[in-house]
Amino acid sequence: MRAARYDRYGPPEVLYATTVPRPVAGPGEVLVRVHGSSVNGGETKARAGGIKVITGFRFPQAIGMDFAGEVAGVGAGVDVVAPGDRVWGFLGRTTRGAAAEYVVVRPGLLARAPEGVDLVEASALPGVGTTVITALRDKARLQAGERLLVRGASGGLGSVAVQLGKAFGAHVTALASRANLDFVRELGADEAVDYRTPLGELGTYDVVLDTFGDRPWAWRRLAGPNGRMVAVAFRGVADVAYLAAAPLLPGRPLRFFSGNPGHALFADLTRYVESGAIRPVVDTVHPLERIADAHRALEAGGVRGKHVISLR
């Protein structure tokens, strides 16, 4: 099968498409024919060597974490899905390799994909969609009528957060570049604000969702008297240290989590898509052979939704 690999840490150019043995579903496993896989910030950091303590020094390494496709086969003991079923899911917190024509995954890490959505486009959602559901519904407990600020509103996470915030009945303020203000309004934002606006001019909010990740101590101040902030990204060591210490510090609640979605969360995401609350937002679809272009474009910024890799 075709798959993306890299033989050393470095810039996007280290990525290449190659041919590797097709995996086989063992007992309790599902073989999925991948139609699409998205490009995530954590993967670009891994490819660049930013998390070597996790990814190690054995090469070649695979890339890609979430996927959408069709069941191609099941191992012994699997009866929750069958060949031909449309599914989407996640390989696991520390497993990569979804940028390939086939993947083997445990049933608990996938769910039925939404009907009426192309599977390549659908692949834009599993990772970011489940992260935003966890952030807004489970961590922040966003309520109808509350004021939500989304930082990084035009990106993969932010574009879903704007949509889900509106579906929950919140008043959504979206921070984005000037070029993307109309875009986030089209997603449903009640207000679209240039991200360069000084923090002191932004007011206060019931929920602050930070998808960018730097200076959480500064953004935390925008949470109002009963406000809370959820950070779903980080940029540097100082940011991580602050997030780790935040539960012990006075001030508004600040929550940070590492996504590890399972079947129930993917099934919730399917229901949100089928209800019309969320739709996939795709910046560009890249063939596997141009995966380096996708990584390069994500790192350049200014993304509208997700870059996805087509395996069809």
Side-chain angles (χ1 to χ4, degrees):
M1 68 172 184
R2 294 181 301 137
R5 295 287 188 269
Y6 58 101
D7 295 328
R8 61 182 175 86
Y9 294 123
E13 290 74 22
V14 302
L15 293 166
Y16 62 92
T18 188
T19 301
V20 301
R22 172 175 159 175
V24 176
E29 294 179 332
V30 179
L31 178 68
V32 177
R33 166 71 172 94
V34 178
H35 285 227
S37 176
S38 77
V39 179
N40 298 286
E43 295 163 28
T44 63
K45 183 174 291 188
R47 183 221 72 231
I51 50 174
K52 295 175 185 177
V53 65
I54 297 173
T55 54
F57 293 90
R58 297 184 65 180
F59 295 98
Q61 293 199 17
I63 199 82
M65 299 176 68
D66 53 0
F67 61 87
E70 296 178 84
V71 175
V74 297
V78 176
D79 57 9
V80 292
V81 293
D85 288 352
R86 290 162 44 94
V87 295
W88 62 4
F90 177 66
L91 294 185
R93 182 180 288 170
T94 60
T95 303
R96 292 174 178 80
E101 289 184 302
Y102 291 87
V103 295
V104 167
V105 61
R106 299 192 308 276
L109 294 177
L110 53 73
R112 178 180 62 85
E115 296 296 330
V117 180
D118 177 83
L119 286 171
V120 174
E121 291 190 1
S123 71
L125 279 175
V128 294
T130 53
T131 297
V132 170
I133 292 170
T134 301
L136 295 185
R137 185 191 68 184
D138 303 335
K139 300 296 183 180
R141 299 187 182 277
L142 181 66
Q143 302 296 313
E146 290 191 314
R147 289 171 51 81
L148 167 66
L149 176 70
V150 179
R151 187 183 183 207
S154 67
L157 287 160
S159 61
V160 177
V162 170
Q163 296 179 71
L164 193 60
K166 284 301 296 180
F168 285 167
H171 180 281
V172 179
T173 298
L175 289 182
S177 67
R178 187 172 300 174
N180 285 329
L181 295 182
D182 286 341
F183 170 69
V184 294
R185 290 189 187 99
E186 291 168 4
L187 292 175
D190 298 285
E191 296 180 60
V193 180
D194 190 323
Y195 75 92
R196 293 168 297 187
T197 302
L199 267 65
E201 298 178 14
L202 292 176
T204 57
Y205 301 84
D206 299 293
V207 174
V208 175
L209 178 63
D210 183 9
T211 74
F212 193 75
D214 71 327
R215 299 181 300 135
W217 52 88
W219 293 92
R220 189 184 191 187
R221 300 189 193 111
L222 301 185
N226 297 309
R228 49 271 187 215
M229 173 176 161
V230 182
V232 296
F234 62 87
R235 293 280 161 172
V237 174
D239 304 315
V240 176
Y242 180 82
L243 291 169
L248 306 176
L249 301 175
R252 309 293 179 246
L254 191 159
R255 295 176 175 85
F256 176 76
F257 63 94
S258 176
N260 193 27
H263 169 77
L265 204 50
F266 289 118
D268 287 344
L269 179 61
T270 296
R271 286 189 285 272
Y272 281 125
V273 174
E274 291 184 337
S275 73
I278 299 172
R279 63 175 175 85
V281 181
V282 177
D283 185 301
T284 308
V285 176
H286 305 261
L288 181 67
E289 291 70 21
R290 303 300 295 271
I291 189 171
D293 290 346
H295 276 235
R296 194 177 299 111
L298 180 58
E299 291 177 336
V303 178
R304 293 186 173 190
K306 295 286 287 182
H307 286 276
V308 301
I309 305 302
S310 173
L311 280 302
R312 288 205 294 231

